[in-house]
């Protein structure tokens, strides 16, 4: 059995029902909108975010979910989908998960409007049901994701990222959404309990490990979701690179920064930077940090009683750092 199917097993019924509710939450009276949202739903990914919501919800409440849990999972997926549609416009990307992106098929103007529509649908789903605590969790996540992206852009211009700033960028940009999923799962069944914050922290740690793993793919020779060296070409400062920059000699540091700033489109030069990072322990250091985040996340889970939901969350933590793409 595939690992994702194994993770999903204890919440298979909830995930099936969620898909129906999610499609309903996207509906509109405008035919064009429905055509595009159906296209998006039919090309869904692994749905890790709703899986986090349901697994956490059932773990903290001994197997219970509520209508609030379904709404929380729908809101997170609506907001996440909106950000992906907008990201493709910003990045001028024509592909998403191997299929044409919304902007490639319907142009930028429609893609931006679709993103706005999904965002407002998510907010209204919470407001119409008085889920203000869930709405607050989501709104904080959206604010932090925007801040994280802008902080990364600002720092990429100067290439002056320290390890501490890098962690702040990935916490906001990536970890905050997974933290919101876990926090929502707990809040949907145990509002205002200590589980809400504990699970937020758990999700944040997984998100941090997830992003470090993503950064490691930039140095991989395997055929994965993104081309090797793409972060360097886009002048993104990731952990392996930050580590070697901090311990490099003055001469090497100058060469590295010059390579990233002025020769990032030169395939041969990018390959030399990748080799330098590998030889000087950048990857080993990043793997070490990723495993530290993983262990901290597992420690949080260990405080909860044994259950199928807890086991699936443990599998999820392992999957995040063992995945091949």
């Amino acid at each position: 059995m595939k690992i994702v199917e194994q993770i999903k097993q204890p919440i298979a019924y909830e995930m099936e029902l969620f898909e129906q509710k999610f499609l309903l939450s996207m509906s509109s009276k405008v035919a064009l909108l429905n055509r595009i949202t159906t296209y998006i739903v039919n090309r869904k990914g692994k749905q890790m975010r709703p899986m986090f919501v349901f697994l956490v919800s059932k773990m903290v409440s001994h197997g219970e979910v509520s209508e609030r849990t379904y709404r929380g999972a729908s809101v997170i997926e609506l907001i996440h989908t909106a950000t992906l549609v907008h990201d493709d416009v910003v990045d001028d990307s024509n592909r998403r998960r191997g299929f044409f992106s919304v902007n490639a098929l319907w142009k930028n103007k429609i893609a931006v409007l679709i993103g706005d529509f999904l965002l407002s649908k998510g907010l209204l789903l919470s407001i119409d049901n008085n889920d203000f605590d869930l709405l607050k969790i989501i709104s904080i996540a959206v604010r932090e994701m925007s801040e994280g992206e802008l902080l990364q852009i600002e720092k990429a211009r100067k290439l002056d990222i320290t390890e501490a700033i890098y962690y702040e960028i990935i916490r906001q940009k990536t970890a905050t959404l997974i933290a919101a999923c876990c926090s929502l799962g707990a809040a949907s069944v145990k509002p205002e309990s200590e589980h809400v914050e504990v699970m937020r922290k758990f999700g944040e740690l997984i998100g941090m490990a997830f992003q470090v793993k993503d950064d490691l793919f930039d140095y991989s020779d395997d055929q994965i979701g993104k081309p090797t060296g793409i972060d360097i070409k886009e002048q993104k400062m990731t952990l392996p690179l930050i580590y070697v920059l901090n311990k490099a000699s003055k001469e090497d540091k100058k060469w590295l920064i010059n390579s990233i700033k002025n020769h990032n489109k030169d395939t041969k030069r990018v390959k030399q930077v990748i080799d330098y990072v590998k030889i000087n322990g950048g990857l080993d250091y990043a793997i070490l940090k990723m495993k530290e985040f993983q262990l901290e996340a597992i420690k949080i889970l260990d405080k909860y009683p044994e259950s199928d939901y807890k086991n699936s969350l443990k599998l999820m933590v392992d999957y995040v750092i063992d995945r091949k793409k």
Side-chain angles (χ1 to χ4, degrees), residues 87-103:
D87 280 353
D88 287 339
V89 174
V90 171
D91 299 337
D92 202 14
S93 173
N94 291 325
R95 311 288 286 183
R96 166 70 59 185
R97 297 182 184 123
F99 296 96
F100 284 115
S101 57
V102 173
N103 51 302

Side-chain angles (χ1 to χ4, degrees), residues 4 8 15 44-48 51 97 319 325:
V4 177
K8 213 186 265 191
M15 288 299 291
K44 64 183 183 291
K46 296 184 189 76
Q47 294 188 302
M48 304 298 266
M51 282 160 66
R97 297 182 184 123
Y319 172 74
K325 60 179 180 177

Side-chain angles (χ1 to χ4, degrees), residues 55 114 210 232 236-237 271:
L55 286 170
I114 288 287
F210 182 94
I232 294 166
K236 283 181 187 166
M237 298 287 282
K271 173 86 171 69

Side-chain angles (χ1 to χ4, degrees), residues 263-287:
H263 304 279
N264 57 359
K265 300 287 185 278
D266 177 342
T267 311
K268 192 181 169 192
R269 189 75 171 253
V270 168
K271 173 86 171 69
Q272 287 172 338
V273 172
I274 287 171
D275 290 342
Y276 182 94
V277 171
K278 285 179 176 176
I279 291 161
N280 289 279
L283 300 196
D284 295 337
Y285 182 75
I287 289 165

Side-chain angles (χ1 to χ4, degrees), residues 204-223:
E204 185 175 281
L205 289 163
I206 293 182
M208 301 288 277
F210 182 94
Q211 188 57 54
V212 177
K213 176 70 174 186
D214 230 41
D215 294 347
L216 284 163
F217 284 141
D218 206 43
Y219 298 87
S220 164
D221 299 322
D222 304 329
Q223 282 301 307

Side-chain angles (χ1 to χ4, degrees), residues 21 79 89 112 120 173 198 204 228 230 260 316-317:
K21 289 176 184 279
I79 305 277
V89 174
V112 170
S120 65
K173 204 180 75 139
V198 171
E204 185 175 281
T228 304
I230 195 80
I260 297 155
M316 192 87 104
V317 176

Side-chain angles (χ1 to χ4, degrees), residues 250-267:
K250 207 172 180 183
E251 207 175 297
D252 284 358
K253 193 171 187 173
K254 197 175 167 186
W255 174 80
L256 281 165
I257 287 175
N258 184 32
S259 301
I260 297 155
K261 264 193 172 165
N262 306 312
H263 304 279
N264 57 359
K265 300 287 185 278
D266 177 342
T267 311

